[in-house]
Amino acid sequence: MLPPGTLVPHSRPTLDEDHVQAVAQVVRSGHLAQGEVTRRFEQELARLVGVRDGVATSSGTAALHLALLALGVGPGDEVILPSYTCVALLQAVLHVGATPRLVDLEPYGYNLSVAEVRRQLTRRTRAILVPHMFGTPADVADLSGLGVPVVEDIAQSLGAEVDGRPVGSFGTVAVCSFYATKVITTGEGGMLLSDSEVVLRRARDLRDYDGRRHLRPRFNYKMTDLQAALGLCQLRRLPEFVRRRRQLAARYAAHLKSLGLQPPPVPPRAAPIYYRYVFPVPDAATAAAHMRRAGVECKPPVFSPLHRYLGQAGFPRTERAYRTALSVPLYPSLTEEEVTRVLEALEGTFAPRVRSAWRL
């Protein structure tokens, strides 16, 4: 039983002594910067996703930036992306000087609407950014058939599949983030993955600027071997991490149904990994406050819709999700005591007899 006053955090990395030893081995080697360990991480992740190769970077945002540059996206071009997503995607579009074209959500989930994407296509569209939100695959197969390069953002979905095929293998490019609380972590860091040798070559050229015979704008977007050592160790535990996430999701779903609530939707033929466990409630902010009083930290899964940053209107499904989507703790290092606390807090917050006594 958890001590009174203990708060179950919304997210937390899963680390053990093997991770400590992997990083210590790199420290003892004396080679800390980008090197052989980083190269091995690139190859192993590319093999897992089922593409030709990877280019490790200092962050997921850096990987997004390089992906757009490697596709030749720049001023005068348009990039389609959902409004309901992390601001990093918008930052990458702005970094290359392109125009963002935002789209609304699909009717019954948290991924972008394919129908809305089709409506936004113009002769200036040069890329579609497709995040698989909260670990649930988007309809990337249909999007890949629209004749425009698709950049899959698998920061929240590494290990998910569609028809048995890994997400990240459908688009022209895929990008990962390895922030501290992502599916796997290197502390900070990211990776670009692709089957295209042209895209990979351009991204490697842009990733760092030293040792080049010809001057052009380049970046310092390298990953270190310290980070890659942690990433390799995490990658080998990914199947275990995914199994644990799915087990927890099944327990949460059964509990939500018993309370008359709707579990996260699962698209046909998709195998989600439940990076975030997100479900709709009448008022997410009020529900999160009640859950916190019960000892469980919950959060809105998206800080702010992108159309609000740009002063745009007309995204009703995104606005609804912003008001109603609640994310509860789900990660591999959750203890059984913490899981029990989450289930009890859900009961105390959403049981019909409780809901009738306060305004959601």
Side-chain angles (χ1 to χ4, degrees):
M1 185 173 181
L2 292 175
T6 302
L7 184 69
V8 179
H10 177 253
S11 53
R12 182 173 63 210
T14 302
L15 302 166
D16 59 23
E17 184 60 28
D18 287 344
H19 297 90
V20 175
Q21 292 304 317
V23 173
Q25 185 174 347
V26 172
V27 173
R28 285 192 290 268
S29 77
H31 186 101
L32 308 184
Q34 177 181 283
E36 292 181 5
V37 181
T38 302
R39 184 69 189 118
R40 196 157 68 246
F41 185 35
E42 293 171 336
Q43 293 169 331
E44 290 199 16
L45 187 58
R47 189 178 305 115
L48 176 81
V49 172
V51 296
R52 181 190 299 262
D53 211 343
V55 180
T57 59
S58 55
S59 70
T61 307
L64 282 163
H65 186 196
L66 291 187
L68 292 177
L69 289 174
L71 291 171
V73 179
D77 296 331
E78 295 177 352
V79 177
I80 294 175
L81 68 160
S83 179
Y84 194 66
T85 192
C86 172
V87 73
L89 281 75
L90 179 58
Q91 292 284 0
V93 175
L94 298 177
H95 285 337
V96 300
T99 300
R101 295 289 294 262
L102 302 181
V103 298
D104 208 353
L105 293 178
E106 60 192 351
Y108 303 110
Y110 297 110
N111 285 314
L112 79 176
S113 164
V114 177
E116 291 289 331
V117 171
R118 288 196 180 99
R119 280 193 282 270
Q120 289 286 356
L121 286 172
T122 74
R123 60 182 179 80
R124 296 170 59 194
T125 306
R126 292 294 177 267
I128 306 170
L129 297 185
V130 185
H132 301 283
M133 295 299 290
F134 317 136
T136 297
D139 194 355
V140 71
D142 279 358
L143 291 167
S144 297
L146 296 178
V148 176
V150 166
V151 179
E152 289 186 74
D153 184 341
I154 61 172
Q156 300 184 357
S157 59
L158 185 63
E161 297 177 339
V162 178
D163 286 328
R165 179 176 168 183
V167 297
S169 65
F170 291 85
T172 307
V173 192
V175 294
C176 282
S177 170
F178 308 123
Y179 177 68
T181 55
K182 284 296 194 293
V183 182
I184 65 172
T185 184
T186 61
E188 290 277 5
M191 194 178 297
L192 175 155
L193 300 142
S194 183
D195 260 336
S196 168
E197 187 54 50
V198 172
V199 168
L200 293 164
R201 183 176 66 250
R202 289 174 177 171
R204 289 193 190 101
D205 179 67
L206 292 165
R207 176 174 57 180
D208 59 282
Y209 45 72
D210 201 16
R212 304 292 198 274
R213 294 188 180 278
H214 303 288
L215 180 65
R216 61 174 295 191
R218 295 182 175 92
F219 308 91
N220 184 7
Y221 280 170
K222 301 186 298 297
M223 178 179 282
T224 69
D225 274 9
L226 281 170
Q227 294 168 294
L230 184 58
L232 279 167
C233 206
Q234 289 266 297
L235 187 59
R236 288 162 193 153
R237 293 190 63 186
L238 180 62
E240 170 195 343
F241 290 170
V242 171
R243 280 194 301 273
R244 176 64 171 163
R245 287 182 177 279
R246 287 173 175 162
Q247 289 167 357
L248 290 173
R251 293 173 66 180
Y252 286 6
H255 201 63
L256 289 184
K257 289 176 182 177
S258 74
L259 297 172
L261 294 172
Q262 176 187 334
V266 178
R269 306 183 309 281
I273 65 160
Y274 301 98
Y275 167 70
R276 293 277 185 255
Y277 197 83
V278 180
F279 60 95
V281 299
D283 185 312
T286 302
H290 278 258
M291 291 287 286
R292 189 177 186 89
R293 285 195 289 273
V296 177
E297 182 185 28
C298 298
K299 289 186 176 182
V302 170
F303 179 76
S304 175
L306 303 187
H307 69 268
R308 291 190 170 198
Y309 289 112
L310 299 179
Q312 298 178 4
F315 298 83
R317 293 170 186 158
T318 295
E319 285 290 336
R320 182 183 64 203
Y322 185 58
R323 293 190 308 271
T324 64
L326 183 71
S327 179
V328 302
L330 189 154
Y331 41 88
S333 60
L334 268 181
T335 66
E336 282 303 307
E337 291 83 1
E338 289 172 328
V339 173
T340 299
R341 170 70 65 80
V342 173
L343 296 175
E344 290 174 347
L346 289 170
E347 177 80 25
T349 301
F350 295 111
R353 66 183 185 279
V354 177
R355 278 185 303 197
S356 65
W358 56 281
R359 296 181 64 187
L360 270 172

